[in-house]
Amino acid sequence: MARTRTTKKLAQRIDLNYFKRPTPLKRAKFWLSLALPFLALIWISWGGFSGDHRVYSSGRMSKAHAVLEKDCAACHVRTAGAFSAKAANAACLDCHDGPIHHELSLIGKKELACAECHAEHRGRVNLSATSNQSCSVCHSDPRAPYGPPGFASHIRSFEDGHPEFAALREDSLYSLFVRSSARINHAIHLKLIRRGPTGPVVQLDCADCHRPPAFAPPSTYSDASYVRAKVANTGNGGPLPGGAATLSLRHPVTGRELMAPVKFASACSGCHSLTFDKRFDSGVPHDKPEVVRAFVLKKFREYIAGHPNELREARDPDRGLTGKPLSPEVRVLTPAQWIAERSADAEELLWRKTCSQCHGLSFRYEGDPDKLPRFPPWLRSPNDNRFEQKPLPEIMVAQEASRLMPHAKFDHGKHEGFTCVTCHAKALTSTESSDILIPGIATCKKCHAPGPEHAESRCFECHTYHDWSKRKEVTPKFTLPALGTGGR
């Protein structure tokens, strides 16, 4: 007869008190639950008695502050036997000479605490590498309690919300102050071009004219006489017009960051001759008009003193102009008359052709001959008005902005592996000096983006948030024993 197996009979075979019997796993769990809290209590107590406060720390400190990991009181204020959660601002300023973030206090805004941007206990990180979130608290919302007035808002990161550079925006008033008055055609200079009226055909490179101040100007297309000369006109390459403020950097300038202003002596004089008369091989100084006039007069005085036979002039029949009275076939001039006539012709050539090729000249005396100063009568021949010494023209200073992005920092030295036209591609087609040739933000974003395969793109990479010109003296307060000479 087959045995009948029912659920009820099977349940009767199960020991309902199986969970009460001890097992090796249960014993291990029991002793661990007792031992671990006991060991943790011993570890915390030992840290408290030995003065090692790392057991209470939120994490390891940055490399610069690693020596303070055992001394919480150096940064945190102790109240009621416990340390404050955030480091005190005064504690940071006791060691660091940095001023506050911009001048927020001057406009009635809340002063930022150091710990709001420079967060510690994140491991061996660069403490000055602030997160984008720290910057976007103010810069992403114009209604923030201490948001920046006068700056673009809604900026969350370089990739999200950052506007085009101000110098390139048509709606920015700043773009009106960064245009040079010198007439430079980059497109022509970057093609095959003849060096001077009769020189060879050469291919110019950007570095032939543009060099950082740390490097000596190239001598390939320079004239030694102009390089050695001292000039009174130093207007080329002045400060940025418009009053835009630039925050001083913390580290000293190396001279490799930005490009030095282009100078005529080192970059242009080898090709652009300033000759003014066939009697002389040298050209006039590249200087103010009054200096040029004095040089021309001096050269002609010295020349006629050594060549008095040229005071007798025969009329050249090929140079007669229709509608103008003919001069006598032979003229005998005094030295003063000869100098006045030759200098007037030379100045006309210089002002109207040579200088105006690169500079904007203003001739205020045109159309008002009655007010012109004239040479004394004894210097003039009858019916000859060529000896009128006209007032000097006004030359627009070739003012060049020293920094096109005054609220950002840039270092050409860190980009020297790239060719110039990689970023300044607009130079190949630029025909006007008013063109702004710095790369746009889209060019920078090709390399500067999040991710390990790109260059750093966080805000601190390009922006300085402390004005280091206002750094203050710091009185040292630590000694080596206070920092802890033992341990690591």
Side-chain angles (χ1 to χ4, degrees):
M1 182 176 178
R3 185 174 57 179
T4 304
R5 295 171 62 88
T6 63
T7 305
K8 186 175 181 180
K9 291 182 177 180
L10 290 174
Q12 291 175 353
R13 298 171 58 184
I14 298 175
D15 184 5
L16 299 180
N17 294 318
Y18 71 92
F19 62 92
K20 296 181 180 180
R21 294 198 301 270
T23 62
L25 179 60
K26 289 181 179 180
R27 293 190 186 95
K29 291 168 62 176
F30 172 76
W31 288 111
L32 284 175
S33 63
L34 292 179
L36 289 179
F38 181 71
L39 292 175
L41 182 61
I42 293 178
W43 177 56
I44 294 174
S45 301
W46 175 260
F49 284 116
S50 64
D52 187 355
H53 301 299
R54 288 180 295 171
V55 295
Y56 315 112
S57 174
S58 301
R60 302 198 72 181
M61 300 183 71
S62 63
K63 190 174 182 179
H65 293 158
V67 293
L68 299 175
E69 281 190 343
K70 295 182 179 181
D71 191 2
C72 299
C75 302
H76 297 272
V77 178
R78 185 192 295 269
T79 56
F83 290 112
S84 59
K86 289 187 176 182
N89 217 40
C92 299
L93 297 178
D94 281 344
C95 297
H96 296 280
D97 55 354
I100 61 174
H101 177 72
H102 291 196
E103 287 292 345
L104 297 178
S105 61
L106 298 180
I107 56 176
K109 304 293 185 179
K110 173 186 173 183
E111 181 178 332
L112 291 174
C114 303
E116 293 187 55
C117 298
H118 303 285
E120 263 291 3
H121 298 290
R122 295 181 293 124
R124 298 293 192 256
V125 298
N126 180 11
L127 198 58
S128 62
T130 56
S131 65
N132 284 345
Q133 290 74 17
S134 299
C135 301
S136 63
V137 169
C138 300
H139 291 270
S140 63
D141 185 2
R143 298 171 299 174
Y146 39 95
F151 291 89
S153 57
H154 308 292
I155 303 176
R156 288 161 291 278
S157 65
F158 186 57
E159 302 79 26
D160 185 6
H162 196 293
E164 180 59 272
F165 304 138
L168 298 174
R169 296 201 309 267
E170 294 296 334
D171 60 339
S172 173
L173 294 177
Y174 171 67
S175 64
L176 301 176
F177 297 102
V178 297
R179 304 181 187 276
S180 174
S181 61
R183 296 171 180 170
I184 303 297
N185 188 321
H186 281 86
I188 288 181
H189 285 80
L190 291 177
K191 296 178 182 178
L192 291 174
I193 189 172
R194 185 172 297 280
R195 181 177 179 179
T198 59
V201 175
V202 296
Q203 175 64 65
L204 298 178
D205 185 72
C206 299
D208 291 328
C209 300
H210 300 280
R211 288 288 184 95
F215 296 95
S219 58
T220 309
Y221 302 103
S222 65
D223 188 322
S225 61
Y226 285 98
V227 174
R228 294 190 300 266
K230 295 182 179 181
V231 298
N233 182 18
T234 58
N236 190 358
L240 177 70
T246 301
L247 293 182
S248 298
L249 302 179
R250 180 179 184 181
H251 301 290
V253 176
T254 63
R256 299 170 60 94
E257 296 86 353
L258 303 177
M259 291 295 166
V262 178
K263 299 294 184 181
F264 173 84
S266 58
C268 312
S269 58
C271 299
H272 294 272
S273 173
L274 299 184
T275 56
F276 60 97
D277 192 278
K278 63 182 180 180
R279 298 173 179 83
F280 310 105
D281 295 331
S282 61
V284 298
H286 187 259
D287 212 318
K288 296 179 179 180
E290 50 266 32
V291 177
V292 173
R293 171 171 285 177
F295 177 85
V296 170
L297 291 174
K298 179 182 177 182
K299 295 294 287 187
F300 280 124
R301 289 192 191 101
E302 294 174 350
Y303 180 85
I304 198 60
H307 303 79
N309 58 312
E310 291 198 18
L311 292 174
R312 180 182 177 86
E313 290 187 348
R315 185 182 64 187
D316 187 352
D318 296 331
R319 300 194 64 181
L321 298 177
T322 303
K324 295 193 69 175
L326 293 176
S327 59
E329 291 187 4
V330 178
R331 293 191 306 157
V332 179
L333 304 176
T334 64
Q337 289 174 327
W338 187 90
I339 293 170
E341 185 174 336
R342 297 286 78 77
S343 62
D345 292 341
E347 287 188 16
E348 188 74 9
L349 171 67
L350 290 170
W351 306 149
R352 300 289 182 175
K353 182 180 182 298
T354 306
C355 299
S356 61
Q357 185 177 5
C358 299
H359 297 278
L361 276 71
S362 174
F363 299 91
R364 292 189 177 183
Y365 52 81
E366 288 184 340
D368 194 6
D370 295 334
K371 297 182 179 180
L372 295 178
R374 300 173 181 270
F375 282 102
W378 56 271
L379 286 180
R380 299 199 305 267
S381 299
N383 301 322
D384 196 339
N385 61 358
R386 286 184 298 169
F387 308 127
E388 298 172 350
Q389 189 179 31
K390 298 179 180 180
L392 292 169
E394 295 182 3
I395 298 181
M396 296 176 60
V397 178
Q399 192 76 21
E400 183 180 352
S402 57
R403 295 189 66 168
L404 294 179
M405 295 188 292
H407 298 294
K409 55 185 178 181
F410 183 82
D411 191 345
H412 279 94
K414 295 181 179 179
H415 297 78
E416 60 187 3
F418 296 93
T419 61
C420 300
V421 294
T422 300
C423 299
H424 302 278
K426 291 184 289 186
L428 297 173
T429 58
S430 172
T431 59
E432 301 291 338
S433 57
S434 58
D435 297 335
I436 300 175
L437 304 181
I438 63 172
I441 192 172
T443 302
C444 300
K445 286 182 177 180
K446 293 179 180 179
C447 296
H448 294 272
E453 69 279 6
H454 291 92
E456 180 63 73
S457 65
R458 285 177 288 177
C459 304
F460 73 89
E461 178 71 5
C462 299
H463 294 284
T464 300
Y465 33 80
H466 294 295
D467 186 357
W468 292 99
S469 65
K470 300 177 181 177
R471 65 197 314 165
K472 59 183 181 62
E473 290 291 332
V474 175
T475 303
K477 69 174 185 177
F478 287 105
T479 60
L480 285 177
L483 295 177
T485 55
R488 294 187 305 278

